[in-house]
Amino acid sequence: MQTINEFKNEIDKLYLDNTLAMRVIRGEVKRDADKVSILVYQCNMARMKTTDIKLPTFIEIIADANGIIKDISLYDNFKGSQGMVCSGKYLDKTLKSYLLNKNINSDFSILKYTKNYHCRHTYEVVAAGISFYHFLVDGKLDYGSFLNKTVAYECEAGLEIKDELVINDDEYLLKENVHFNAKDLKMLSNGKIGAIDAFKLDGNFFHNGLMVDDFVKEITPCDTASKVTLNMMRLFNCPWKMLGRIVGKNRNFYFTNLVPSSFYGVLIQAISLILFPNNYNYFQHTMAGLQREDNIPLCSGMVINFDEINEFYPDLIKYI
């Protein structure tokens, strides 16, 4: 199993090359006689005019032989998209308060209640690590690793997305085309997609180099932000469920970027970079569109003033 510093060095070496946006989620799990060790990171990257934005979230979970979480740490290379309010020290404290002494074998609520993490990314990393731990237990394995890299390219039709997943010695690949035109999307002042006229997704799945499945899905025109989100979630549910069947993980399959809410996040980032190139303020704005609902911040990074901090995340003030 790699060391903490080896994982950090791996994150440092990630680069975008010629892609528009990229998300990597990577983890290792080892089961010993007396403990379970889980190391997982997620790194979001996007290209601005002269700078590659890199936003890593790296977490270690240590559980005893019975699955009771004895330690959890968010490492200091954490960086959120919203600056000071994405406080790593605050989110580390939140993880410890919520997860210490929880049982990863039996308490499946820790995979479901995202708001208890106060951060979408820390939730995604924890859920990936724990669901991969269960994947190993089901396969009677004591060690395993996974790497999922999603890259998005701008193309004439919209976006080309390549999703590579390596689980131990198995390699999976999903090549997707996202068909849309900028004129078909209506962006709202709150960062959400408010309406859409045409949107289609097609792709091919490969396992160890051989094509094993394909799909074509599209959504009907939507005229409100809530309808757009609902239909997008239904759309992205298709490749996620298909990959789960191919991998053999049909329930609680979170160690992939294809989880619909996660994939939607990658897609929105890529779309924002097409519609508003080199505009980091709008890139941040689209994150607010994902993580604010009915003027309520769904994570600590989306507060807009001190009143919201005091109402929703009162302990955050100590860390900014």
Side-chain angles (χ1 to χ4, degrees), residues 219-264:
I219 59 177
T220 57
C222 307
D223 56 5
T224 67
S226 59
K227 288 181 181 178
V228 170
T229 301
L230 178 62
N231 280 277
M232 286 288 192
M233 291 301 104
R234 288 173 175 168
L235 187 74
F236 301 141
N237 195 57
C238 170
W240 178 48
K241 293 293 187 184
M242 289 177 72
L243 179 60
R245 289 193 294 270
I246 295 168
V247 168
K249 179 70 175 171
N250 292 324
R251 297 188 62 224
N252 296 322
F253 177 34
Y254 297 115
F255 52 96
T256 171
N257 293 323
L258 287 182
V259 175
S261 53
S262 299
F263 189 75
Y264 190 37

